[in-house]
Amino acid sequence: MTDATAAAALTLHNALDGDESRTLAEDVRQGLARPFKELPPKHLYDTRGAELFEQICELPEYYPTRLERSILERVAADVIAATAAGELVELGSGSAAKTRLLLDAMAAAGTLRRFVAVDVTEQAVRDSATELIQEYPGLEVHGLIGDFERHLDYLPPAREPRLLAFLGGTIGNFPPAARLRFLTAVAELLRPADHLLIGTDLVKDRAVLEAAYDDSAGVTAAFNLNILHVLNRELGANFDPQSFTHVARFDEDEEWIEMRLRSDRAQTVALPAIAMDVSFAEGEELRTEVSAKFTRERVAVELEAAGLELLAWYTDPSDWFALSLARRA
Ligand code: AVJ
């Protein structure tokens, strides 16, 4: 359903509508029935979760946001020169904090026409869209409230050379098979004049990685535990978040960070909305996120497997984070 807003420059489309509670119910039903319990990370991002993630981005231990911004500050003009982009589509745009660096470069190049924001958090889409039409006179903004894994079909057709940005390292949340599926779907969306800009966190020292996902202020712990509040609210569950502990661990073989919630005691939780009781043994862990860490080789290989060609690789001086510019091969 498209809701017409007062400002003609702003259009919003909600691809989630009633559909999202069913998805949550289905994900929880399947994820908690497995021998190794797991929930998809997208359910971390209710309004509160999105706010906590914004706080994570400010933490001293959480380097990806800062490094990606510093890379963008350095290379945004080059990216726009290389792509001649007139519209920016950002998947998982959140508060769109880094978006402005690209929009500024497009404005400076005289190509800026439209910004399309895609995010599951309705509030984030509404707020950022409203701010951006005010900040960039003449800019058209289209907000798509949706799940970038399921709702790419709802993107408006491209009218200008398009730059599709998937920043923050969120690509790392997909397990490998889903990642290939997603990148393939993205590749199929690109016309010859379009480009993909993708942020990836890179493999590095375990201590640095684990600290980034287990900060001393406890913000990441609160972010992780928030998923239990989501289940309590949306599914009438009776999780006691106090009885779970945040765990962040780097798996060197898989080259990914995992966030888990460890049950401090044996307990049974009721989820009336899906008619399910779930038992946790003492010390049992529920996985809530994987966040893959990449190397240049792996990015190039995975892009190629999806029908994409790596055109440029931009990193920070410490090689901790990278932005890749790609197009359809
Ligand atoms: C938003 C998916 C990029 O994986 O680093 C931050 C989410 N999880 N701290 C990440 C997150 C824990 C973040 N992404």
Side-chain angles (χ1 to χ4, degrees):
M1 191 190 71
T2 298
D3 91 52
T5 59
L10 172 61
T11 50
L12 283 173
H13 181 89
N14 192 338
L16 299 177
D17 280 337
D19 168 60
E20 210 43 16
S21 57
R22 276 207 305 282
T23 309
L24 174 69
E26 197 42 42
D27 286 347
V28 172
R29 198 188 340 265
Q30 288 181 20
L32 296 189
R34 289 187 203 151
F36 173 27
K37 299 182 176 67
E38 177 162 37
L39 294 172
K42 68 178 168 213
H43 301 302
L44 291 160
Y45 299 90
D46 65 342
T47 302
R48 171 81 182 133
E51 278 166 15
L52 285 165
F53 177 66
E54 291 299 314
Q55 290 178 35
I56 288 174
C57 294
E58 306 287 320
L59 294 168
E61 295 97 333
Y62 193 75
Y63 59 85
T65 312
R66 267 188 305 281
L67 291 184
E68 186 177 52
R69 183 178 296 124
S70 75
I71 299 168
L72 269 176
E73 279 167 358
R74 211 182 63 232
V75 308
D78 289 356
V79 169
I80 299 310
T83 61
E87 61 179 57
L88 175 65
V89 175
E90 190 176 5
L91 304 179
S93 48
S95 68
K98 286 167 287 195
T99 311
R100 288 167 176 80
L101 296 169
L102 289 165
L103 294 177
D104 287 345
M106 292 163 76
T111 57
L112 180 62
R113 296 284 175 274
R114 180 163 68 162
F115 174 59
V116 180
V118 184
D119 203 277
V120 275
T121 310
E122 173 161 5
Q123 200 56 47
V125 173
R126 287 182 179 277
D127 292 351
S128 62
T130 310
E131 281 169 30
L132 290 169
I133 48 166
Q134 281 158 10
E135 284 172 41
Y136 294 86
L139 179 68
E140 270 185 63
V141 177
H142 182 86
L144 172 58
I145 299 146
D147 174 355
F148 46 69
E149 207 176 352
R150 290 184 298 137
H151 297 132
L152 288 181
D153 289 350
Y154 291 80
L155 283 173
R159 295 192 301 225
E160 311 274 341
R162 174 179 268 182
L163 179 61
L164 211 142
F166 192 36
L167 302 177
T170 303
I171 185 75
N173 277 178
F174 289 111
R179 196 155 69 222
L180 176 60
R181 262 198 313 276
F182 172 76
L183 285 173
T184 305
V186 166
E188 281 164 5
L189 227 120
L190 299 181
R191 305 164 308 159
D194 300 338
H195 291 80
L196 171 68
L197 184 67
I198 188 160
T200 49
D201 196 11
L202 303 180
V203 171
K204 62 182 66 62
D205 192 70
R206 161 188 297 279
V208 174
L209 285 168
E210 290 184 348
Y213 290 82
D214 192 8
D215 61 281
S216 56
V219 182
T220 309
F223 172 67
N224 193 5
L225 287 160
N226 181 60
I227 204 165
L228 301 181
H229 293 283
V230 171
L231 269 46
N232 285 350
R233 187 184 61 237
E234 301 297 327
L235 302 176
N238 66 347
F239 279 98
D240 171 16
Q242 306 248 44
S243 68
F244 287 83
T245 302
H246 168 68
V247 176
R249 203 178 296 120
F250 182 53
D251 183 324
E252 260 163 20
D253 298 326
E254 301 283 9
E255 295 186 319
W256 66 40
I257 276 273
E258 295 196 357
M259 285 208 313
R260 298 180 177 201
L261 291 168
R262 185 170 59 222
S263 178
D264 298 333
R265 50 177 166 82
Q267 55 183 317
T268 299
V269 177
L271 298 104
I274 53 171
M276 191 173 177
D277 286 330
V278 180
S279 294
F280 291 86
E282 182 183 342
E284 184 177 348
E285 293 178 347
L286 157 66
R287 187 162 73 179
T288 51
E289 180 183 68
V290 302
S291 187
K293 307 305 163 191
F294 294 82
T295 58
R296 180 184 181 147
E297 294 63 39
R298 202 145 120 239
V299 169
V301 165
E302 293 197 8
L303 288 176
E304 199 184 316
L308 293 159
E309 173 193 8
L310 179 60
L311 296 178
W313 170 264
Y314 308 104
T315 56
D316 62 291
S318 55
D319 256 318
W320 277 11
F321 196 92
L323 278 177
S324 296
L325 184 66
R327 70 171 166 217
R328 218 171 156 158

